[in-house]
Amino acid sequence: MSLFKRALSGVKVPHCKNTQESATVEMPVPAQVALPMLQHMGAPCKPLVKAGDHVKVGQLIGDSDQFLSAKIHSSVSGDVVKIEDYINPTGVRTQCVVIKTNGLQEPSEEIAPPVVSSREDFLKAVKESGLVGLGGAGFPTAVKLNPKNPDQVDTLVVNCAECEPYITADYRECMENASGVLDGIKAVMKYLNLKQAYIGIEDNKPRAIEYMRSLIISGDPIQVVPLKAKYPQGAEKVIIYETTGRVVMEGQLPADAGVLVMNISSVAFVNQYLRTGMPLVSKRLTVDGSAVKEPKNVRVPLGTSFEDVLNFCGGFKEEPRKVLMGGPMMGIAVYSLQTPVIKNNNAILAFAEAQAVTPEETACIRCGRCARACPFHLMPASIERSLKQEDAQALEKLKVNLCMSCGCCAYVCPAKRDLVTSNNMAKKFLRAHAAKK
Ligand code: SF4
Ligand code: SF4
């Protein structure tokens, strides 16, 4: 049975795109940055510098010999103060390079545009750039662009859905750097031999749709596809289906459906790197939420603390009760304002008491709303029950491994059940069960 037998569901969420028309502001270089050696999905990097070393912007400071990883470069010039242990907001411990900046932003002598004339050169350049999926997933781009079946991949899907409330960083990329986005798309298509590209943009961003369309030269195999403004249009499998009609089946990767998906800011960065050779050292993010005095889109050096970014946005107008890295649907609550901005961090949202209340859970009333909201037609209430019964067979049948933790089910649940947590626990339970077997 097809995963998408019925139309994809999802939920309507308030857009709250308050910063949509706020042009990106460059934040001054902070006094100190902290660069964790894990800013991506996969293996952490090992620091290549030590306390006392002088570093420059774009200098390689962390690397790994593992396949799934991404290089880390200094975002500032200055002196390494220490290498310390850091526990990220998901609880993973990693090393972190702390650099006291000298404010000069001296570029590293290593910086030069890469020489690219083949697929291999291009993939090597993407790897050297340290790029990871900038939309939130943090998957190393050089790995994503090099699937095991390159000859069967013919399509690039560019994700500009930006369906999470509040976040407008990708919208700003579209409005401020559309020609860079298109050049990035053309480079990816040229070197990976792709026939066509689709740019998916939600229809609550009509200016972005119109502007992007106006820059596409007639005859170019690039199309803008307006998508219904609904969450989670930007989820990988969802946007592939909505733009191309192709289905990524359970256990498959997008490349198995002949597609590569890139976030719009990632594709724009590819163009920038090919032109300048400056690796990924800064990030545009949206700063918003009821506790923030001056919501903004801001470009900051990687490793800048949340506190410095929030102070740059005027500080708090109300005491924050919850601060999120990312959007309100899939973002992660941070435990400290010293948390540094990392590569896949596209928003800092700070909410005051009234918007941060955790609702009390009541008993499931078996209304079925969670299943109707799920884009993959999973049955979260049954998953929750089967998890309680530790029934691995039932959980497998319920296909909990398809769950992408989008939160639509919990969002619509009248009993306020914490279904995302139970789905995640069920996946963990199945992994442990499989390991035992
Ligand atoms: S939406 Fe909530 S109350 Fe309704 S069936 Fe699902 S878990 Fe139960
Ligand atoms: S969190 Fe999982 S089960 Fe819930 S709606 Fe999203 S994909 Fe479906």
Side-chain angles (χ1 to χ4, degrees):
M1 182 176 81
S2 162
L3 185 62
F4 299 105
K5 191 168 152 262
R6 290 175 277 150
L8 293 175
S9 300
V11 291
K12 279 202 179 308
V13 292
H15 302 307
C16 306
K17 303 282 188 185
N18 310 315
T19 54
Q20 193 152 289
E21 300 313 325
S22 307
T24 312
V25 186
E26 291 280 338
M27 183 181 156
V29 179
Q32 182 171 292
V33 296
L35 291 156
M37 292 291 101
L38 184 62
Q39 302 191 30
H40 48 263
M41 203 181 276
C45 291
K46 287 196 181 110
L48 303 176
V49 289
K50 56 183 186 322
D53 285 357
H54 184 70
V55 292
K56 295 186 176 175
V57 184
Q59 182 179 329
L60 185 67
I61 59 162
D63 205 354
S64 163
D65 54 10
Q66 299 294 302
F67 173 69
L68 191 63
S69 189
K71 294 172 188 283
I72 293 174
H73 304 81
S74 178
S75 58
V76 294
S77 60
D79 296 319
V80 177
V81 183
K82 57 184 170 181
I83 314 286
E84 64 180 7
D85 261 10
Y86 165 67
I87 298 176
N88 75 14
T90 60
V92 176
R93 189 183 286 267
T94 176
Q95 286 183 294
C96 184
V97 176
V98 181
I99 304 168
K100 187 170 181 289
T101 62
N102 63 8
L104 301 175
Q105 290 302 80
E106 310 151 278
S108 163
E109 291 79 13
E110 297 162 12
I111 305 304
V115 179
V116 176
S117 58
S118 65
R119 174 191 173 84
E120 288 67 36
D121 293 344
F122 177 72
L123 291 171
K124 183 170 178 278
V126 173
K127 186 168 185 193
E128 293 300 319
S129 76
L131 180 60
V132 305
L134 299 179
F139 194 86
T141 307
V143 178
K144 175 183 261 197
L145 297 185
N146 190 18
K148 57 182 187 314
N149 59 338
D151 296 342
Q152 286 153 22
V153 178
D154 60 1
T155 300
L156 174 67
V157 170
V158 177
N159 191 344
C160 188
E162 207 163 47
C163 52
E164 279 253 15
Y166 293 95
I167 308 179
T168 61
D170 284 345
Y171 177 78
R172 292 315 309 170
E173 186 76 59
C174 209
M175 299 309 290
E176 295 172 24
N177 185 30
S179 56
V181 170
L182 289 173
D183 287 348
I185 292 172
K186 287 175 191 165
V188 174
M189 291 175 72
K190 176 179 165 186
Y191 292 114
L192 301 186
N193 196 24
L194 306 179
K195 288 193 184 67
Q196 59 210 349
Y198 298 98
I199 308 171
I201 308 180
E202 279 192 319
D203 60 11
N204 61 350
K205 304 171 189 82
R207 285 186 57 216
I209 294 172
E210 201 183 312
Y211 184 43
M212 197 53 93
R213 275 183 172 159
S214 75
L215 296 183
I216 295 173
I217 299 164
S218 151
D220 271 353
I222 305 173
Q223 271 183 55
V224 176
V225 183
L227 308 170
K228 236 187 206 168
K230 134 180 127 159
Y231 179 84
Q233 283 290 31
E236 200 165 62
K237 286 178 181 171
V238 177
I239 200 166
I240 289 172
Y241 181 71
E242 297 286 356
T243 52
T244 68
R246 297 185 193 177
V247 173
V248 181
M249 299 300 286
E250 186 181 1
Q252 285 190 329
L253 294 171
D256 295 316
V259 179
L260 295 174
V261 182
M262 288 182 79
N263 166 267
I264 193 162
S265 296
S266 303
V267 94
F269 173 79
V270 167
N271 174 56
Q272 186 194 310
Y273 182 73
L274 293 179
R275 283 170 197 276
T276 66
M278 178 57 78
L280 185 60
V281 292
S282 69
K283 186 76 209 274
R284 177 194 287 111
L285 37 89
T286 301
V287 185
D288 202 349
S290 59
V292 177
K293 209 181 250 175
E294 297 162 14
K296 281 186 178 57
N297 280 300
V298 52
R299 179 172 285 282
V300 309
L302 292 173
T304 304
S305 72
F306 275 33
E307 185 171 44
D308 284 343
V309 179
L310 286 159
N311 283 340
F312 181 66
C313 297
F316 296 120
K317 60 182 178 195
E318 275 185 72
E319 187 65 28
R321 169 78 189 274
K322 188 185 263 184
V323 178
L324 295 177
M325 174 188 270
M329 300 298 283
M330 288 189 80
I332 301 165
V334 301
Y335 62 88
S336 162
L337 289 183
Q338 292 315 306
T339 301
V341 171
I342 58 170
K343 293 178 181 180
N344 60 340
N345 183 184
N346 52 6
I348 297 176
L349 303 180
F351 294 103
E353 177 82 30
Q355 292 75 34
V357 178
T358 308
E360 207 178 308
E361 272 190 359
T362 54
C364 171
I365 55 169
R366 304 203 173 188
C367 63
R369 281 189 208 176
C370 50
R372 287 198 293 280
C374 177
F376 299 152
H377 312 302
L378 303 181
M379 296 168 69
S382 306
I383 291 170
E384 196 186 34
R385 270 197 302 280
S386 301
L387 175 67
K388 263 189 206 144
Q389 292 156 3
E390 301 193 350
D391 187 342
Q393 222 180 345
L395 288 171
E396 263 159 25
K397 267 198 194 148
L398 289 163
K399 296 192 179 296
V400 66
N401 279 326
L402 279 173
C403 172
M404 57 183 166
S405 308
C406 68
C408 291
C409 49
Y411 182 76
V412 298
C413 174
K416 304 295 171 205
R417 313 275 325 152
D418 189 358
L419 299 168
V420 180
T421 303
S422 64
N423 292 339
N424 289 340
M425 284 171 67
K427 284 189 270 183
K428 212 170 159 191
F429 172 77
L430 275 188
R431 278 199 299 275
H433 183 76
K436 238 191 253 172
K437 269 211 287 193

